[in-house]
Amino acid sequence: MRSPHRPSTFRRFIVAALLLTLTIELLPESITRAFWVGHLTGATSWGRKHDINKHPIDAQIQTAENESAAKLSKSTRTLAAAAAAYRKRRGRHPPPGFDKWYEFATERDAIIVEDFWDQIYQDLEPFWGVQPAKIRKDARDFDMRIQIRNGKASTSSDWFWTQIWLDMIQTIEHLLPDMDLALNPMDEPRVMVPWEEIDVHMKKAAKTRRIVDVESVVSSFSTLPLSEEAPQDHSDIPPVQWEHDKHYWLIARRGCPPNSPARQAQVITDFDKPPYIASPFSLSLTHMEDGYVANYTLSTDFCHQPDLQALEGFFVEPISVSATKSLIPVFGGSKLSRNNDILLPAPIYWSEEERFFGAEGASIPWASKHKHPSAIWRGVATGGRNRETNWRAFQRHRFVAMNNATILAAQEAKPPPPNFALPDRRYALPTDDLAGWIADATDVAFTELACSHEGFSPSCNYTALYFSPAQGVPMAAQFQHKYLPDIDGNSFSGRYLGFLRSTSVPVKATLFREWHDARLVAWKHFVPMDTRFGDWWGILGYFLGGEGRDRIGEGIALAGREWAGRVLRKEDMAIYVLRLLLEYGRVIDERREVLGWVGDLR
Ligand SMILES: *[C@@H]1O[C@H](CO)[C@@H](O)[C@H](O)[C@H]1NC(C)=O
Ligand SMILES: *[C@@H]1O[C@H](CO)[C@@H](O)[C@H](O)[C@H]1NC(C)=O
Ligand SMILES: *[C@@H]1O[C@H](CO)[C@@H](O)[C@H](O)[C@H]1NC(C)=O
Ligand SMILES: *[C@@H]1O[C@H](CO)[C@@H](O)[C@H](O)[C@H]1NC(C)=O
């Protein structure tokens, strides 16, 4: 394999080029982008803001180190300190039962950093703008439910996810107030309230956010009857409307602010041609810096990225859609940044199935992993319902094509064959011979083409022209490879936790949010990738660029594994859910504004 990194010739080039830099900065974006040929060799970003010898990824890794250290330094070691950190960050007293929660967490050696629970507050805050009786009613009216009464959790649903969630909640049931939990049985999230309405709820919620006088605080939750009657003043609320429009972008974008690119951009309805893909250097991609993801949280939001409407199957045609505009409390395992579902750890994570964890291979030493290929991906061609007229908009198809030497070589023809739109390779090439290089560096293939609709199954003639399904590779065997790209399927990718717990590096591209997001630091515990994948070749080129870089990769693999062992254990999931459900128990309680735990202040 050729070394993708050639610093010395490049250095000479820089000296001459530096003189031009100032002028270039003044040119239009299209021209400046073409000028950043430094990315061809992997050493670049000079003249902007970083050290001339540094690759932009070096800067991201340095920032991540700092962010991670700063986060850890906020950890608290006493109940009083945890309560103080709570009040400071949340603007309310902790919920009743906070002392029991703290005890539960510390008995299980949890690291207590208040920020780790941020997701709970993002999810629940709008509900402070909804009447408690209405939230309870909406939960009761939902088909799939877990009921908690008198410290016991139960369900009448035998759906296997409900059973797994029940098993999870039973580990903490004795600490929970009475409640009904509505559970999403689907892969796809359910609730997408228009931004304007969330704004109203958030403003109402803000008015309730205060530190109540200690004397006025009530410290015990209300109890609920076994099946509560609908209160009079809500019997006129019409039942929740469910929408089944398969073009999910139309549903998704209403969660974005009115002036956002997602709301303003023209809606694409023709997916029967190669889509437009914004360059990783586009100034509109505010989550990118010098071609790589600099703000991972922002990278998973879509409101500033309207081209994603034709680059992610979920926006084009999910397998199933059942969505509502009403702010109702539905719990589920993953969601888009703008969905209003309430996140629980996904059942896949609680059940720790070998298929998704490959625990047997998870501790293979870095040094004994394969030299070639360095990256592996296997998966089904999911992402939604792919059809002859839309598959070009599917992320997994794009990713597999980007790792196919034949397809890459064909793309060099002028004009390229009209079948694919791949990210522009000029800005991220680790080598002149991308096709040859990729053949050596990666092993990426579908295991099934997944055309389930009538007339096409199982032949899938429209994608079979370009892709050949390969043998699946068990997770434990995938861990023989150093880099593990992780791409969204029909919704989030359930192998992520298994990847994090392994000694390989997860390279994560997603639009889905999960319970654990606030406790992971991109470039420290995993490598973030843009959902267009325009940075993929550059990422791989960086890590395969010599022994020093290989050690950096090993560092991320081990840091992710070590961290997952401290903050992503099943114990941590239970601790998260206990905190979540104490908060949920409060927000559905008629006395919620005065409910709190103030044991440290009395
Ligand atoms: C990281 O922290 C070190 C030490 O506090 C500081 O010198 C450095 O500038 C920081 N780097 C970044 C990228 O924030
Ligand atoms: C990342 O983006 C989010 C959302 O826009 C923003 O709130 C946050 O401050 C950004 N983080 C950094 C480190 O810039
Ligand atoms: C695939 O098969 C369908 C149904 O038999 C046919 O209508 C279509 O033209 C075929 N497409 C290609 C690309 O071969
Ligand atoms: C790579 O692309 C060629 C041409 O499209 C195709 O025949 C081959 O099956 C592809 N390989 C894989 C693993 O999909």
Side-chain angles (χ1 to χ4, degrees):
M1 195 178 62
R2 291 167 44 172
S3 162
H5 188 45
R6 301 182 292 267
S8 54
T9 35
F10 185 63
R11 201 96 37 90
R12 260 177 277 131
F13 171 57
I14 287 172
V15 176
L18 259 180
L19 295 169
L20 279 169
T21 310
L22 271 177
T23 329
I24 295 284
E25 287 284 14
L26 302 173
L27 295 175
E29 196 205 344
S30 56
I31 302 177
T32 46
R33 276 186 291 144
F35 184 75
W36 294 119
V37 287
H39 287 270
L40 296 177
T41 64
T44 181
S45 110
W46 33 273
R48 288 252 198 121
K49 57 178 164 255
H50 305 302
D51 186 317
I52 190 168
N53 293 316
K54 280 201 159 181
H55 189 287
I57 290 178
D58 292 326
Q60 296 304 340
I61 290 173
Q62 181 60 59
T63 307
E65 284 295 337
N66 287 15
E67 190 191 321
S68 162
K71 238 180 209 184
L72 204 53
S73 74
K74 290 202 222 169
S75 69
T76 52
R77 295 180 192 289
T78 64
L79 173 57
Y86 182 104
R87 291 187 186 97
K88 180 157 179 259
R89 197 159 180 88
R90 313 296 170 203
R92 295 187 167 99
H93 289 300
F98 187 75
D99 51 342
K100 294 287 190 315
W101 171 82
Y102 183 83
E103 193 182 311
F104 185 87
T106 47
E107 277 171 7
R108 287 160 183 76
D109 296 321
I111 300 176
I112 313 278
V113 173
E114 185 53 34
D115 311 28
F116 287 0
W117 292 278
D118 281 355
Q119 186 67 48
I120 293 174
Y121 299 89
Q122 283 174 31
D123 293 352
L124 291 184
E125 190 66 10
F127 289 95
W128 282 86
V130 180
Q131 290 300 317
K134 174 167 184 328
I135 309 174
R136 295 197 305 272
K137 174 183 187 302
D138 287 334
R140 267 194 328 272
D141 287 352
F142 205 76
D143 277 349
M144 207 169 97
R145 285 191 318 275
I146 287 177
Q147 175 174 269
I148 296 154
R149 293 290 183 281
N150 205 13
K152 289 276 172 234
S154 61
T155 183
S156 56
S157 157
D158 55 9
W159 177 237
F160 76 115
W161 283 8
T162 319
Q163 290 296 323
I164 295 170
W165 273 323
L166 180 67
D167 182 63
M168 179 171 80
I169 288 171
Q170 280 171 339
T171 64
I172 54 171
E173 61 184 358
H174 55 292
L175 300 170
L176 294 176
D178 291 353
M179 64 181 77
D180 296 306
L181 299 175
L183 298 167
N184 181 10
M186 296 170 46
D187 271 343
E188 296 84 2
R190 308 297 295 279
V191 188
M192 188 66 89
V193 183
W195 185 91
E196 289 84 340
E197 282 173 40
I198 287 296
D199 192 46
V200 171
H201 291 306
M202 291 298 273
K203 283 178 178 142
K204 282 191 198 159
K207 292 203 180 111
T208 69
R209 199 183 314 128
R210 63 202 167 88
I211 305 284
V212 178
D213 286 346
V214 173
E215 303 77 59
S216 324
V217 170
V218 174
S219 301
S220 56
F221 291 105
S222 308
T223 55
L224 292 178
L226 207 53
S227 56
E228 197 182 1
E229 289 304 314
Q232 283 307 314
D233 56 337
H234 287 292
S235 53
D236 57 335
I237 295 175
V240 174
Q241 299 290 315
W242 294 103
E243 304 155 86
H244 306 286
D245 186 344
K246 288 294 179 66
H247 191 179
Y248 198 80
W249 176 254
L250 298 176
I251 292 174
R253 69 190 199 124
R254 72 181 179 225
C256 295
N259 58 359
S260 63
R263 287 277 288 271
Q264 303 274 322
Q266 200 167 6
V267 172
I268 297 172
T269 51
D270 176 9
F271 301 103
D272 198 10
K273 55 178 195 251
Y276 164 76
I277 304 180
S279 148
F281 292 85
S282 162
L283 297 179
S284 67
L285 302 190
T286 45
H287 59 281
M288 305 289 280
E289 204 175 281
D290 295 329
Y292 296 94
V293 173
N295 185 333
Y296 175 71
T297 309
L298 190 56
S299 80
T300 64
D301 191 18
F302 56 89
C303 293
H304 67 293
Q305 314 189 59
D307 62 321
L308 294 185
Q309 66 177 298
L311 297 174
E312 178 98 359
F314 191 74
F315 289 138
V316 177
E317 187 175 341
I319 297 288
S320 44
V321 175
S322 181
T324 182
K325 286 182 177 157
S326 309
L327 183 57
I328 61 168
V330 182
F331 290 77
S334 75
K335 64 172 179 176
L336 296 176
S337 60
R338 301 288 164 157
N339 280 116
N340 305 101
D341 303 49
I342 303 166
L343 291 177
L344 286 171
I348 263 181
Y349 293 157
W350 185 259
S351 64
E352 294 184 333
E353 253 182 84
E354 177 65 16
R355 190 157 64 97
F356 290 101
F357 284 87
E360 265 176 55
S363 51
I364 297 170
W366 184 262
S368 57
K369 294 185 197 255
H370 296 319
K371 295 276 181 296
H372 311 286
S374 300
I376 188 166
W377 186 88
R378 281 290 181 285
V380 177
T382 53
R385 195 169 306 282
N386 76 70
R387 297 179 189 275
E388 191 169 13
T389 50
N390 72 10
W391 65 272
R392 293 174 184 84
F394 279 56
Q395 66 276 10
R396 289 188 164 189
H397 292 77
R398 179 168 68 257
F399 188 74
V400 174
M402 283 177 65
N403 289 279
N404 182 314
T406 314
I407 292 174
L408 289 176
Q411 290 283 305
E412 261 153 38
K414 290 189 174 46
N419 311 311
F420 293 96
L422 302 182
D424 194 325
R425 64 176 74 180
R426 273 175 302 169
Y427 313 122
L429 280 187
T431 161
D432 304 330
D433 172 23
L434 184 63
W437 183 81
I438 215 78
D440 221 25
T442 73
D443 175 6
V444 171
F446 284 128
T447 53
E448 269 176 57
L449 296 180
C451 314
S452 47
H453 48 290
E454 32 348 294
F456 291 92
S457 177
S459 79
C460 205
N461 60 359
Y462 55 91
T463 45
L465 289 171
Y466 311 112
F467 305 102
S468 317
Q471 278 290 317
V473 176
M475 197 83 124
Q478 294 191 22
F479 295 152
Q480 295 282 358
H481 304 266
K482 291 179 177 173
Y483 298 93
L484 306 173
D486 195 28
I487 312 289
D488 291 339
N490 291 334
S491 64
F492 81 109
S493 161
R495 31 186 122 156
Y496 189 34
L497 182 54
F499 282 6
L500 284 161
R501 286 180 182 170
S502 80
T503 48
S504 298
V505 181
V507 181
K508 181 73 174 168
T510 188
L511 289 179
F512 288 88
R513 297 274 168 91
E514 298 184 61
W515 75 280
H516 55 219
D517 291 344
R519 45 190 70 196
L520 293 169
V521 178
W523 297 111
K524 167 77 182 172
H525 306 121
F526 67 95
V527 169
M529 175 162 63
D530 184 55
T531 43
R532 295 166 190 73
F533 319 132
D535 45 354
W536 166 240
W537 298 309
I539 287 169
L540 209 53
Y542 171 87
F543 286 106
L544 303 189
E547 228 174 276
R549 299 278 184 75
D550 182 67
R551 269 197 299 277
I552 294 174
E554 180 181 15
I556 296 175
L558 298 184
R561 176 178 167 80
E562 194 260 345
W563 193 235
R566 295 176 75 187
V567 307
L568 303 181
R569 305 163 302 161
K570 283 180 78 168
E571 289 87 339
D572 298 298
M573 298 178 205
I575 294 162
Y576 181 94
V577 176
L578 178 54
R579 169 75 84 93
L580 169 66
L581 296 186
L582 291 176
E583 296 291 0
Y584 181 69
R586 175 162 64 173
V587 81
I588 63 169
D589 194 304
E590 294 300 327
R591 296 179 302 176
R592 66 189 180 187
E593 290 192 35
V594 292
L595 275 186
W597 181 82
V598 288
D600 57 330
L601 303 179
R602 283 213 163 113

